[in-house]
Structures are given as C-alpha cells and as structure tokens.
Amino acid sequence: MSFLNPYLQKKICVITADGRTLVGTLLSCDQTTNLVMQTTVERVIRDPDDAEPSTVVPLGLYIVRGDNVCTVGLVDEALDNSINWTKVKGATIGGIKHS
C-alpha cells in the first residue's frame, strides 16, 4: 500500500529531480512512488528578468518514475484555478546532483 493512496483521483503537484513542476490528477501509484497522472500539465515558470511569459505545457496522460519524484502535494483547486500562470515569475528550482 502506498502512502499516496489518499491522493488518488485528486489534483496533485509533483516536483521532479530535474526541477520540473507537474500538475495533474493522480490515477495510480505504487510503493516505489511511480506515478500515473492524467490531464497533466508542466508549468514552466520564467525568471523575473525574462521578458517571455511563463507557460503551461499540456502533457495529458503522464508517467513519472519514482526515482524522479522529489515531492508530491495536494493542490488547492480553487486557489490554483484563480491564478494566471502565464504571469507568474520566479527563480528556477535546481535539479538534484547525484554523485
């Protein structure tokens, strides 16, 4: 049984080892934190000095290997839907270095 079972069929946010931000509905998970998500999008947040707007890239049905998952959290859908993600700016999340 996975500790993420209470998150099944709920909107989650995943930060990956390479610093990507993925948001979607959790369909399935296992004891090694492999995730299957649907209606998944990647949020590409631009640096404040970048004139280009941030983007939301649709990915659809998406699998994330457990060894690439850094953190998983539930999304407050009302708050999330109220944000215009193209206007959000921020610092890049660094990736994990494996030695």
Side-chain angles (χ1 to χ4, degrees):
M1 179 176 197
S2 171
F3 66 94
L4 291 173
N5 281 346
Y7 292 5
L8 290 172
Q9 302 303 319
K10 295 184 179 161
K11 191 172 184 179
I12 61 168
C13 179
V14 177
I15 306 298
T16 65
D18 58 354
R20 296 170 63 199
T21 302
L22 306 172
V23 178
T25 302
L26 182 62
L27 287 182
S28 180
C29 57
D30 65 15
Q31 68 277 6
T32 59
T33 321
N34 292 310
L35 308 176
V36 179
M37 300 165 63
Q38 72 177 0
T39 60
T40 308
V41 297
E42 179 180 0
R43 293 191 177 140
V44 181
I45 307 301
R46 304 284 182 202
D47 192 84
D49 298 331
D50 192 339
E52 190 173 340
S54 295
T55 58
V56 178
V57 179
L59 302 173
L61 187 64
Y62 204 76
I63 298 172
V64 183
R65 284 183 42 153
D67 61 353
N68 197 32
V69 174
C70 283
T71 188
V72 177
L74 284 175
V75 172
D76 179 332
E77 292 193 53
L79 178 61
D80 188 65
N81 292 335
S82 72
I83 297 170
N84 180 350
W85 289 101
T86 62
K87 296 190 182 294
V88 173
K89 298 285 187 164
T92 304
I93 298 173
I96 295 175
K97 290 184 180 179
H98 295 285
S99 314

